[in-house]
Each structure stands twice: as C-alpha cells, then as structure tokens.
Amino acid sequence: MRENLLADMKPHLLYHKLPQDTSAVTCQTSKSPQFYKWALLITGIVVLLLLILLTQLLLLPLLLVPVDYHNNALLFQTESCSDSCRAVLVESIPQGLSFNSSMPSPAIADVWTNMIVEAKHSLDIASFYWTMTNEDTNTSEPTAQTGEQILQELIKLPKTGVSVRIAVDSSQSFKSQKDLQALKDGGVLVREVNMLKLTKGVLHTKFWVVDKTHLFIGSANMDWRSLTQVKELGLAMYNCSCLAQDLEKIFEMYWFLGQPDAVIPHHWPSNYSTAYNQDTPLSILVNGTSSRIYLSSAPPALCPDGRTQDLQAILSIIEDAEEFVYIAVMNFLPVMEFSHHKRYWSDIDSQLRRIAYERKIKVRLLISCWPHSEPVMFTFLRSLAAINDHKSKLDIEVVNICPQPIY
Ligand SMILES: *[C@@H]1O[C@H](CO)[C@@H](O)[C@H](O)[C@H]1NC(C)=O
Ligand SMILES: *[C@@H]1O[C@H](CO)[C@@H](O)[C@H](O)[C@H]1NC(C)=O
Ligand SMILES: *[C@@H]1O[C@H](CO)[C@@H](O)[C@H](O)[C@H]1NC(C)=O
Ligand SMILES: *[C@@H]1O[C@H](CO)[C@@H](O)[C@H](O)[C@H]1NC(C)=O
Ligand SMILES: *[C@@H]1O[C@H](CO)[C@@H](O)[C@H](O)[C@H]1NC(C)=O
C-alpha cells in the first residue's frame, strides 16, 4: 500500500499550507496494517531525534561560551574526548522530483557505499527491515539497482575479513527473507529482535557503526526505495570514535536482545551505561568547531544508566530554542495512535504551544499527508496552526505535503 503510494507520489506532489479555519482538510482513510502505523509514528520520532542531534551539533557550538572547568565544573560537566569529527548531512531525494536545493547534500547511497569501503574490522547495522531488491518488493523498477548493488557489497564484506553484524526487528519475518539469507550465506551475523514481545513495539532504529570509528544515523530503512524513491535525511560522522563507541553500546543492547528468549534485564549491566547525556554531553570538535553532543534512546526500558530518554531529549531541545523550532516528520498528533484505548498524549504538542506563547519562539511544522493518515491528525494540526496572531506575536505555521490534492 505504502509502496504503491511512494511510487505514485512524485508527479502529484503538492504543498499545502494548512488553513486555520476550514474543516475541509482531510485525507481519505484506508486501514493500514498496525505495523505501518507504528512505522510512521516512530519514523516521526526518529526524525525529531535526528533534529535534536543536528541542533545540538550545529547550533550549540555557536552558543557555547568558553568554559572555565574549575569554576563551572558543576554547570558544564562535559565529558571530553580528543576526536576531531567530520560531520556530513546526507539526503535521499526521490528520483524524478524536481527539487532545486540551494544546499545539495551527498546521497545516502553514496555514503553507505563509502562506509562499506572504509570498513576494515567491523560493521554493525541496526535496522527495521530489509527489502533491498526488486525481487523483495515484487517490482521491476530500474531505480532498485542502487539498493541491489549495496546489498551485494555487504554480502561480499565478510570475505575481506570484516566482521558484519545486523540487528533487525523480527517483524521482518513477515517479509521476504531473501536479503537476510543471502547476507548470512556471505558470513554476516544476523539477529532478529522480537521487540513486539519485549516492548510491544518495533525496532525502528536505523544506524551504522564502522570500525567503532565512523557512524551513520538517519531515517532511511534498508530498503531500495529509501535510496531512490523516498525523501530521507541522515547524518554521517567520520573519525568520531567516542560517539561511535557510545552508539555501539546501543547496538550491543539490541544484539543482546536478539538472542533467543532474551528478556530485558531489570537493570542493564554497567558496561551498557553511558557517561554522555543531557547533563554531561560529550565534548568534541565537529568540523573544527567545539560541540556538545549526546545520543538518546527509547523506550525507557532500553535506557541503561546514564542514557537520556528520547522524550526528555526532544522536550529539552525545544526548550533550548532561542529563535525557532522547525520540525519535519511524517505524523504529528497528540495522541497514542497505537494504544488499544484512545489516549491523549500531548507532551510535545504542549511544549510547542508553551514556547510559542511564553517565549515568542517561531514554530514551523512540515508534516506528511497520506491516504491512510489519521483524519484526526489534521484536526489537531489545525488547532496548532490556529495559534498564529501577529499582534500577540504568536507564530506557528503548519504545512502538509500531500501525494494528491486533499481538498
Ligand atoms: C564538514 O566539512 C566537510 C568537509 O570536510 C563538509 O563536506 C561538510 O558539509 C561539513 N559539515 C557541515 C555540517 O557543515
Ligand atoms: C529547477 O531548476 C530548473 C532549471 O533551472 C527549472 O527548469 C525547474 O523548473 C526548477 N524546478 C523547480 C521546482 O523550481
Ligand atoms: C508477487 O507477485 C506474484 C505474481 O504477481 C504473486 O503471485 C505474489 O504473491 C506476489 N508476492 C508478494 C510478496 O506480493
Ligand atoms: C580520518 O582521519 C585521518 C587522519 O586525519 C584521515 O587520513 C582519514 O581520511 C579520515 N577518515 C575519514 C573517513 O574521513
Ligand atoms: C558487556 O559485557 C558482556 C559480558 O562480557 C558482553 O556480552 C556485552 O557485549 C558487553 N556489553 C557492551 C555494551 O560492551
């Protein structure tokens, strides 16, 4: 369902500024599998997280005042590390979409290929599912070739002496197993994590760690469509071992949970804990600028000692805004979309309204619109977009990106 939509969406792509006073804005609904609904929500969260990471990375250095570690030891207990990291923002732009970016970024496919070339000892990949070939998706699209090539390179990697491990959500077992089988045949170690059983959720993380030195975090699934058909965003960091080793601890957690009959420990052993978090971020040079950075995780049961939770990180980065908060996600609605009973859940929504009102922060939301988007999402978004009044300096705007006209 989603697949067809993605293939079809390019020619009709429209931008809609959400009106503040009409009830005409809805999408047609159709029941999508629970699985995809989860995927949508968590994709949203992942993009937000990326935003946090990027904001920490790109904005904080500008605000960073020279720190006197003796006097401000308690205020800035920053863990330092001598890494001088290179950070590159990477994107997938759907092929055929005319998108004249003033700041073109390298393609995610090129960065993955590059990471495979760089790998000398190890490559660990955390993933949701694998459909890297036309065969997997029952398609015959020429643009699948990029994904097919990368899969072949990954299959060949163990033969060159690189240890390759993949953690994948066990919902993959409902999809084609061909990619994973071919990877296993090539010597790749694969563990399926039954997140549904462990947390009632999915393993929706997507990241790569190369030689415990380079890393990639982004929205792209291990899906050929994420390389050529879907708008995706990611961050690659090279020569960044302190952060890569911290990300590796998150991978080790998934790897542990991927054992048969694994259960989440009541208390994670101390080697999973981290010193880098909201209170004591890692201090590194990023492209020559001193920066503070930490990785957060969710749900709380997957946060060993010291790991900041995603929600706390998201609320705190919004709180840190001095001028604006820009959000680009698939879904944004203040409810628990996947809970059995209807539940209102407005932590992030409230935080946006609060900073817009109390601190006059400009808020912009760029939200996807799908035939299967919850109709109530547009109702809630209209209520956010209604908070816009020049006289009171309230400045919230919402834009929907829709595959077809929604009026
Ligand atoms: C960091 O520097 C590299 C070149 O060394 C450049 O390609 C990249 O875009 C820079 N990253 C950022 C976030 O400015
Ligand atoms: C992008 O630039 C090309 C060449 O300048 C132009 O033909 C095209 O209309 C532009 N597309 C958009 C969406 O602005
Ligand atoms: C792929 O297409 C074939 C033939 O059209 C069909 O029999 C099969 O069920 C499809 N498989 C999937 C996974 O959709
Ligand atoms: C890492 O740093 C070394 C030394 O500065 C440099 O030669 C190498 O190209 C860097 N690696 C990457 C992937 O940027
Ligand atoms: C912690 O130690 C255990 C036992 O030695 C090991 O299996 C696990 O991989 C370690 N975890 C991390 C994050 O290094």
Side-chain angles (χ1 to χ4, degrees), residues 57 81-82 123 129 134 180 211 221 293 302 348 366 391:
L57 198 71
C81 147
S82 61
L123 167 60
Y129 66 90
N134 260 321
L180 292 177
D211 293 344
N221 282 308
I293 191 162
L302 297 192
I348 297 171
L366 196 57
K391 264 196 239 121

Side-chain angles (χ1 to χ4, degrees), residues 189-243:
L189 302 173
V190 178
R191 283 191 186 172
E192 295 192 11
V193 185
N194 193 341
M195 221 42 114
L196 183 64
K197 193 183 102 195
L198 291 166
T199 66
K200 301 203 174 96
V202 295
L203 178 65
H204 202 256
T205 312
K206 312 111 202 309
F207 66 68
W208 293 38
V209 184
V210 176
D211 293 344
K212 298 185 169 62
T213 306
H214 318 298
L215 62 98
F216 167 86
I217 301 184
S219 59
N221 282 308
M222 298 310 299
D223 183 331
W224 66 264
R225 292 161 296 192
S226 294
L227 302 175
T228 51
Q229 302 258 326
V230 187
K231 173 73 187 72
E232 309 274 8
L233 178 66
L235 173 70
M237 299 195 61
Y238 298 97
N239 279 332
C240 206
S241 57
C242 298
L243 193 64

Side-chain angles (χ1 to χ4, degrees), residues 143-201:
T143 61
Q145 205 198 342
T146 310
E148 289 169 354
Q149 236 159 28
I150 287 172
L151 179 65
Q152 286 311 314
E153 283 157 22
L154 285 171
I155 291 169
K156 283 186 284 186
L157 204 50
K159 303 231 162 38
T160 67
V162 178
S163 147
V164 185
R165 295 188 296 173
I166 290 170
V168 60
D169 192 77
S170 59
S171 59
Q172 167 77 30
S173 52
F174 298 111
K175 295 189 169 253
S176 162
Q177 287 285 326
K178 292 204 177 95
D179 294 4
L180 292 177
Q181 193 53 53
L183 286 158
K184 285 180 198 164
D185 293 345
V188 173
L189 302 173
V190 178
R191 283 191 186 172
E192 295 192 11
V193 185
N194 193 341
M195 221 42 114
L196 183 64
K197 193 183 102 195
L198 291 166
T199 66
K200 301 203 174 96

Side-chain angles (χ1 to χ4, degrees), residues 345-394:
W345 183 78
S346 61
D347 300 36
I348 297 171
D349 191 273
S350 298
Q351 184 81 329
L352 293 177
R353 291 169 194 259
R354 196 176 61 72
I355 58 155
Y357 176 67
E358 291 181 1
R359 308 207 354 252
K360 313 295 176 216
I361 301 290
K362 170 176 159 185
V363 176
R364 295 288 178 270
L365 293 109
L366 196 57
I367 313 295
S368 301
C369 162
W370 301 79
H372 54 267
S373 298
E374 280 288 332
V376 74
M377 177 170 90
F378 300 98
T379 312
F380 282 120
L381 285 178
R382 274 198 304 277
S383 93
L384 257 180
I387 304 177
N388 195 298
D389 177 47
H390 189 66
K391 264 196 239 121
S392 330
K393 296 201 169 64
L394 288 168

Side-chain angles (χ1 to χ4, degrees), residues 135-138:
E135 194 184 348
D136 294 329
T137 50
N138 237 356

